[in-house]
């Protein structure tokens, strides 16, 4: 256990320079973009050069770049993401409002992807080179090639518009109606999860096939243990190491894909917030959404590393 704690502390310690690097990258990209925070603040008001200069001086925009970065990091440590140029409201309030929906969508998409990948990958491996395996391999190949936004449009057309089983967009708070929440989130979650599920299915199948060919599996089945027990208790645990590694990388796709999916289904999450901010020229909101999303991706990968340690005893021993 001491070794596990030591590894986890090392992982957590690495988060600090990684997060500082992300903050520096976002800071530099936003500072060298063509969007001027002063012009964005006075958009539509025809400010005079004196007003622009006063705004830049008051907000430290005329300070040297290293000093501005120090102030920027200090504001972040105090939970200050800036002020929206459009609404004049703190960005952290807008992020706090939009973030729960994106987390709900990402969690549902991740859960569906894992369930579909485990079911499809294990079934394909058990029925290797037979009809179920061939069908699952073809379906997963199509799923890998199909972009999420295209699947979303197909679902809206055939399941929402033609048949009316689901709404075409919008959001219902689960506190108001759990059934309504499930109906509004079902299509976005499936559209977000299917490409990830298809990729994971192929990886799970390969990992399970490799485990099934090992001697301990033949020995366990030959000693009288039911194949279902051997697969569920031993094979699946050992075969999850590689899929977990890929899953950590796919979380970034889920967070990024949520931007497009939320826009298609008119969901008021982080994705739609960022798209609206880009279209309206609101750099502080764009910056806040990017930083929050990047931090979430780093934290989720830390959790994946913890799961990786739990299912991989060889890594703990090393």
């Amino acid at each position: 256990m001491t070794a596990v704690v030591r590894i986890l502390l090392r992982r957590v310690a690495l988060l600090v320079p990684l997060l500082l690097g992300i903050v520096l990258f976002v800071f530099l990209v936003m500072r060298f973009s063509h969007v001027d925070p002063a012009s964005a603040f006075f958009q539509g008001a025809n400010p005079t050069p004196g007003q622009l200069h006063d705004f830049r001086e008051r907000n430290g925009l005329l300070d040297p770049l290293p000093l501005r970065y120090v102030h920027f990091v200090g504001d972040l440590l105090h939970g200050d993401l800036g002020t929206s140029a459009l609404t004049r409201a703190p960005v952290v309030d807008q992020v706090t409002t939009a973030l729960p929906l994106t987390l709900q969508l990402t969690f549902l998409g991740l859960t569906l992807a894992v369930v579909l990948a485990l079911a499809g990958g294990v079934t394909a491996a058990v029925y290797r080179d037979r009809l179920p395996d061939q069908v699952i391999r073809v379906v997963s190949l199509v799923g890998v090639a199909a972009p999420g936004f295209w699947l979303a449009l197909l679902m809206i057309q055939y399941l929402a518009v033609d048949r009316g089983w689901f709404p075409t967009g919008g959001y219902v708070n689960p506190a108001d109606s759990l059934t309504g929440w499930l109906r509004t989130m079902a299509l976005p979650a499936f559209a977000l999860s299917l490409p990830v599920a298809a990729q994971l299915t192929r990886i799970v199948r390969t990992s399970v096939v490799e485990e099934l060919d090992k001697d301990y599996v033949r020995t366990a089945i030959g000693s009288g243990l039911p194949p279902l027990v051997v697969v569920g208790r031993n094979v699946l645990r050992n075969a999850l190491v590689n899929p977990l590694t890929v899953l950590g990388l796919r979380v970034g796709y889920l967070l990024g894909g949520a931007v497009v999916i939320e826009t298609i289904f008119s969901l008021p999450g982080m994705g739609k917030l960022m798209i609206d901010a880009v279209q309206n020229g609101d750099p502080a909101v764009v910056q806040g959404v990017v930083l929050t999303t990047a931090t979430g991706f780093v934290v989720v990968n830390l959790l994946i590393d913890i799961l990786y340690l739990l299912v991989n005893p060889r890594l703990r021993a090393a």
Side-chain angles (χ1 to χ4, degrees), residues 43-295:
Q43 56 183 327
N46 295 321
T48 63
Q51 288 177 312
L52 292 174
H53 183 274
D54 290 342
F55 178 86
R56 295 188 181 104
E57 187 175 20
R58 188 168 57 252
N59 290 273
L61 300 178
L62 301 179
D63 295 337
L65 200 61
L67 182 60
R68 291 167 61 187
Y69 175 69
V70 172
H71 291 160
F72 179 63
V73 174
D75 291 339
L76 290 180
L77 292 176
H78 289 87
D80 184 6
L81 294 175
T83 303
S84 169
L86 187 65
T87 64
R88 305 295 193 269
V91 174
V92 68
D93 292 344
Q94 299 185 50
V95 169
T96 304
T97 302
L99 183 60
L101 190 147
T102 299
L103 292 179
Q104 294 169 25
L105 179 58
T106 303
F107 176 76
L108 286 175
L110 183 63
T111 302
L112 285 171
V114 170
V115 171
L116 293 174
L118 288 177
V122 173
T123 302
V126 172
Y127 293 95
R128 182 183 359 175
D129 296 329
R130 285 179 277 179
L131 182 60
D133 179 28
Q134 295 172 355
V135 171
I136 291 173
R137 289 165 69 182
V138 171
V139 172
S140 63
L141 184 61
V142 173
V144 170
F149 72 88
W150 180 74
L151 293 173
L153 295 175
L154 287 182
M155 289 179 181
I156 291 175
Q157 179 63 45
Y158 291 107
L159 300 179
V161 176
D162 293 347
R163 291 168 176 79
W165 294 346
F166 300 94
T168 58
Y171 175 72
V172 175
N173 195 302
D176 298 330
S177 172
L178 183 59
T179 304
W181 176 75
L182 289 173
R183 293 186 73 244
T184 56
M185 297 295 286
L187 293 187
F190 269 107
L192 186 64
S193 67
L194 289 179
V196 177
Q199 295 173 359
L200 287 177
T201 297
R202 298 166 64 86
I203 298 171
V204 170
R205 178 196 177 276
T206 302
S207 298
V208 174
V209 165
E210 291 176 355
E211 289 297 320
L212 288 175
D213 289 337
K214 291 184 177 179
D215 293 336
Y216 79 89
V217 176
R218 289 190 289 267
T219 302
I221 295 177
S223 63
L225 287 176
L228 187 61
V229 174
V230 175
V231 172
R233 182 182 299 175
N234 303 107
V235 172
L236 196 56
R237 179 185 176 91
N238 295 330
L240 283 180
V241 175
N242 291 333
L244 270 179
T245 305
V246 178
L247 181 62
L249 300 176
R250 292 298 91 193
V251 170
Y253 168 83
L254 291 173
L255 290 172
V259 174
V260 179
I261 298 299
E262 287 174 2
T263 303
I264 292 175
F265 287 95
S266 299
L267 298 174
M270 296 281 282
K272 192 171 186 305
L273 178 63
M274 185 169 69
I275 293 296
D276 292 343
V278 170
Q279 293 175 343
N280 297 323
D282 200 341
V285 175
V286 175
Q287 181 176 266
V289 172
V290 171
L291 283 173
T292 304
T293 304
T295 303

Side-chain angles (χ1 to χ4, degrees), residues 13-33:
L14 288 175
L15 287 183
V16 177
L18 180 59
L19 290 174
L20 287 176
I22 292 173
V23 170
L24 177 61
F25 176 77
V26 173
F27 173 82
L28 292 176
V29 168
M30 295 304 299
R31 295 308 174 276
F32 288 107
S33 68

